[in-house]
Amino acid sequence: MIFRRALLRELVYNCLAVSMVLITITLSTLLIRLLGDAARGKLALDAVLAFLGFGLLGFMPVLLSLALFITVMMTVSRAYRDSEMVVWFSAGQGLLSWIRPILYFALPVVFAIAALNLAVIPWALQKKDLYQGMLNSRDDMSAISPGMFIESRNADRVYFVESLSQLGTRVKNVFMQSLDNHQLGIVVAREGFHTELPNGERYLVLENGRRYEGVPGRADYKTVEFGRYWVRIEPTHIVERSTFEPKVLSTSKLMQDPTPANTAELIWRWSFPISAAVLALLAIPLSFVNPRAGRSFKLILALLIYVIYNNLLGISQAWVAQQKISPLAGMWAVHLLMAGVLVWMFYQRISMRTWWRRRR
């Protein structure tokens, strides 16, 4: 009981620390990429946080699986480095005695990964597609942000506004560039607002400005001063998607329509929790550290095994989708291979310890 309590407490603390580090790194990377898209006008500023949440949710199975693997390796390797393993071995706790508390700790994480992969992430991807469709259906005025150049959806106009009024209903110091029949038109105005007519048509109304029109490269530009200038805003329509990619479909729909692509996606969703459990157990023999020797090789080997395992899962999924292998082989071949590696590593570690004890 003392052994299990001490081990579980250290596992929980290490897992929380590793998860926070991985989530922070992932959030920082996603945020930088999304802010770059927003700065280039590819993404609305008010959608950055929503897409940040969707992106983090999509990475959570990978992060939890990696955090679980690193946590077990950190905990067991620390016990080897501090010679704590000698104490536990002397107390009758062999290497196989670590399997039960490790599984007791890992299974809730594995169930969380399964819930994310099988239910939460497909639902989130559907919501992300709907939200993306809503963003695409917004008119050009909705995407305008002060201090940013925004290109229209038809790529025929560029807008820039310096600031908004206090109520947010009017824009100030407006710049608009348009290209129509090789005629370049530039409009600058002191203020502007958008309005909707009774027939449903929407217009951008610019006040107190000038319009310059001409052919680029020629000096015969026309200049017109205006008190009020009306620009029609083209209506947009929401395009509803009738079909979804397999990764967006719910698990029940994948099972109801077992096409090769759907079967491959279903195998991929189940593979993550299974691989997380196998990796958690594989970390026990991988964590062996000789206190008088370096541990760099073990860390490199553990990272290599993790990468190879995930790449093999991706290859098997692709082969199932291409009908190169059967779904049964795609589901279990890689896991059985890694389970064989797991049994072999446990056998090697236990045999080495038994041989060393006999020699002494």
Side-chain angles (χ1 to χ4, degrees):
M1 187 61 68
I2 297 176
F3 166 71
R4 291 178 186 174
R5 287 180 180 176
L7 180 58
L8 288 175
R9 183 170 59 249
E10 186 173 359
L11 285 169
V12 170
Y13 290 156
N14 287 341
C15 187
L16 291 175
V18 173
S19 299
M20 289 301 297
V21 172
L22 293 177
I23 290 174
T24 302
I25 294 173
T26 304
L27 280 176
S28 301
T29 304
L30 288 174
L31 183 60
I32 291 172
R33 188 181 67 184
L34 292 173
L35 289 178
D37 292 340
R40 290 188 294 270
K42 296 181 180 180
L43 182 66
L45 283 176
D46 56 353
V48 170
L49 290 180
F51 276 82
L52 184 64
F54 287 131
L56 178 62
L57 193 60
F59 278 108
M60 282 305 295
V62 179
L63 297 180
L64 290 176
S65 176
L66 185 58
L68 182 61
F69 184 56
I70 294 175
T71 297
V72 177
M73 287 220 39
M74 286 177 55
T75 304
V76 182
S77 61
R78 185 211 57 79
Y80 274 111
R81 286 197 311 272
D82 297 346
S83 299
E84 188 177 310
M85 274 296 199
V86 178
V87 178
W88 293 122
F89 289 156
S90 301
Q93 299 295 335
L95 195 62
L96 294 178
S97 301
W98 290 71
I99 294 179
R100 186 173 180 180
I102 292 295
L103 282 178
Y104 186 78
F105 163 75
L107 285 180
V109 182
V110 171
F111 289 147
I113 294 174
L116 286 170
N117 251 19
L118 296 175
V120 178
I121 291 180
W123 171 83
L125 288 176
Q126 291 183 15
K127 296 301 180 182
K128 181 182 178 180
D129 279 355
L130 292 175
Y131 188 51
Q132 182 68 58
M134 185 188 68
L135 292 177
N136 293 336
S137 68
R138 299 197 308 185
D139 55 54
D140 297 334
M141 297 300 98
S142 301
I144 291 180
S145 299
M148 294 179 58
F149 286 92
I150 302 296
E151 188 177 34
S152 66
R153 201 166 306 280
N154 297 326
D156 57 352
R157 293 174 185 166
V158 176
Y159 302 94
F160 177 86
V161 298
E162 186 178 57
S163 61
L164 295 173
S165 64
Q166 293 182 353
L167 298 179
T169 58
R170 302 177 71 91
V171 292
K172 297 183 179 180
N173 296 332
V174 184
F175 169 89
M176 184 185 72
Q177 175 184 295
S178 61
L179 186 63
D180 186 17
N181 295 327
H182 304 288
Q183 292 283 329
L184 180 65
I186 296 177
V187 178
V188 291
R190 185 162 298 183
E191 288 186 336
F193 62 94
H194 71 271
T195 185
E196 184 174 348
L197 299 181
N199 61 2
E201 293 185 349
R202 303 184 66 191
Y203 286 86
L204 171 64
V205 183
L206 304 178
E207 297 178 332
N208 301 324
R210 292 183 180 183
R211 174 177 171 83
Y212 304 90
E213 184 177 321
V215 179
R218 297 174 57 179
D220 55 343
Y221 271 77
K222 299 178 182 178
T223 303
V224 178
E225 294 188 1
F226 58 83
R228 179 167 287 189
Y229 184 83
W230 293 61
V231 182
R232 186 172 183 269
I233 302 173
E234 295 295 333
T236 56
H237 304 281
I238 298 177
V239 180
E240 296 184 357
R241 297 177 56 178
S242 57
T243 59
F244 294 97
E245 297 179 0
K247 64 180 181 180
V248 183
L249 294 175
S250 65
T251 301
S252 60
K253 290 184 178 179
L254 292 178
M255 297 176 66
Q256 293 171 5
D257 185 19
T259 62
N262 290 351
T263 303
E265 176 63 25
L266 189 62
I267 291 173
W268 176 257
R269 294 183 186 180
W270 279 109
S271 294
F272 255 98
I274 297 174
S275 65
V278 174
L279 284 169
L281 295 178
L282 193 60
I284 300 175
L286 274 175
S287 303
F288 171 76
V289 174
N290 188 346
R292 293 171 292 182
R295 61 180 186 272
S296 300
F297 175 74
K298 286 293 183 180
L299 294 177
I300 296 174
L301 179 62
L303 179 61
L304 185 62
I305 290 177
Y306 181 84
V307 173
I308 290 175
Y309 196 175
N310 282 277
N311 286 341
L312 287 176
L313 291 177
I315 292 172
S316 64
Q317 180 198 15
W319 283 357
V320 171
Q322 298 169 9
Q323 297 182 313
K324 292 183 178 181
I325 59 176
S326 65
L328 184 63
M331 179 69 189
W332 295 109
V334 178
H335 300 301
L336 291 177
L337 174 64
M338 298 305 297
V341 174
L342 170 65
V343 172
W344 178 79
M345 294 191 71
F346 264 105
Y347 174 77
Q348 289 291 322
R349 184 57 49 206
I350 294 173
S351 298
M352 184 179 297
R353 181 169 174 265
T354 304
W355 174 83
W356 180 256
R357 182 187 301 171
R358 290 176 179 175
R359 185 179 178 183
R360 295 182 60 185

